[in-house]
Amino acid sequence: MGSRRMFFVSWTGLLGLALLVSRGEGQSCLPGVQVVPNLARGRPAFQSSTYQHPKSLVAGKAVDGNCNGNLDGAGSCTHTNGDMEPWWYVDLGDEYAIFAVVIKNRGECCGDRIRGAEIHVGDFVAENSKFNPLCGTIADTSLGSISTIHCNGLRGRFVSVNIPNRNDALTLCEVEVYGMKVEDRCR
């Protein structure tokens, strides 16, 4: 019954996304694409540390709706210190079936810092959500790249970006999360 319900949730979620796309609701960092509302926008976000900079590069900058990838000019990106396994996560406030996570990379410098970053989705915030199920890994590190990671309905309240096994800074210029509310009728 669980897999049948997940199949139903996945297809109904995709149908809902398609209907809203056709009506032109929502905005995305993807040029010319209209999508359903971004679940992460304006939600509480956290990161392993915050690099000291005049623009205040706090975790919430990745969910502010500003897709500008110029860290110094727009100041709408996050930036950690050079941490061992840096991390960032957003609390969606409730459980959702996540279909896609869109990540905007920095545009004017240091695009390779996001190489190998893992996107996790789940209900556990312990260990910065890095042990939640893996949705995918970022491969495109070109300056200003926009990576769309398909999560196929993974359920969770927290979406995290973690760089495993490396001492580096993590910079995110926007993180968008798309999915639908999970209604568990079996409770």
Side-chain angles (χ1 to χ4, degrees):
M1 183 65 164
S3 64
R4 183 182 293 171
R5 183 174 51 206
M6 190 60 174
F7 176 78
F8 178 73
V9 168
S10 295
W11 277 106
T12 56
L14 292 175
L15 176 61
L17 286 171
L19 289 172
L20 289 170
V21 166
S22 68
R23 291 195 328 223
E25 294 182 15
Q27 288 292 350
S28 172
C29 285
L30 296 170
V33 175
Q34 301 289 316
V35 295
V36 296
N38 172 5
L39 300 173
R41 188 169 182 178
R43 299 296 308 164
F46 308 88
Q47 61 189 19
S48 54
S49 63
T50 301
Y51 181 73
Q52 294 302 311
H53 188 276
K55 299 282 185 177
S56 182
L57 308 173
V58 297
K61 295 284 182 104
V63 292
D64 64 358
N66 186 337
C67 297
N68 189 316
N70 185 334
L71 182 138
D72 288 322
S76 180
C77 302
T78 70
H79 196 305
T80 68
N81 293 316
D83 298 336
M84 184 61 188
E85 298 189 336
W87 53 266
W88 175 96
Y89 73 87
V90 62
D91 181 351
L92 301 176
D94 216 335
E95 186 179 45
Y96 291 86
I98 305 302
F99 296 102
V101 176
V102 176
I103 297 184
K104 169 75 174 184
N105 196 7
R106 189 171 170 178
E108 87 290 1
C109 166
C110 319
D112 62 328
R113 286 184 180 160
I114 204 166
R115 176 183 40 85
E118 296 179 343
I119 290 73
H120 294 264
V121 174
D123 287 327
F124 303 103
V125 73
E127 295 292 323
N128 315 308
S129 302
K130 72 180 181 181
F131 294 116
N132 282 328
L134 178 65
C135 171
T137 303
I138 295 177
D140 185 356
T141 63
S142 58
L143 292 178
S145 62
I146 298 173
S147 298
T148 302
I149 310 298
H150 299 280
C151 299
N152 301 317
L154 276 177
R155 289 177 161 202
R157 173 179 173 170
F158 303 99
V159 175
S160 67
V161 180
N162 304 276
I163 298 181
N165 306 315
R166 201 167 78 226
N167 189 334
D168 210 340
L170 174 61
T171 302
L172 302 166
C173 290
E174 195 65 23
V175 177
E176 299 173 349
V177 178
Y178 299 99
M180 60 183 283
K181 182 92 168 70
V182 173
E183 298 293 336
D184 191 354
R185 301 190 191 286
C186 296
R187 289 185 196 187

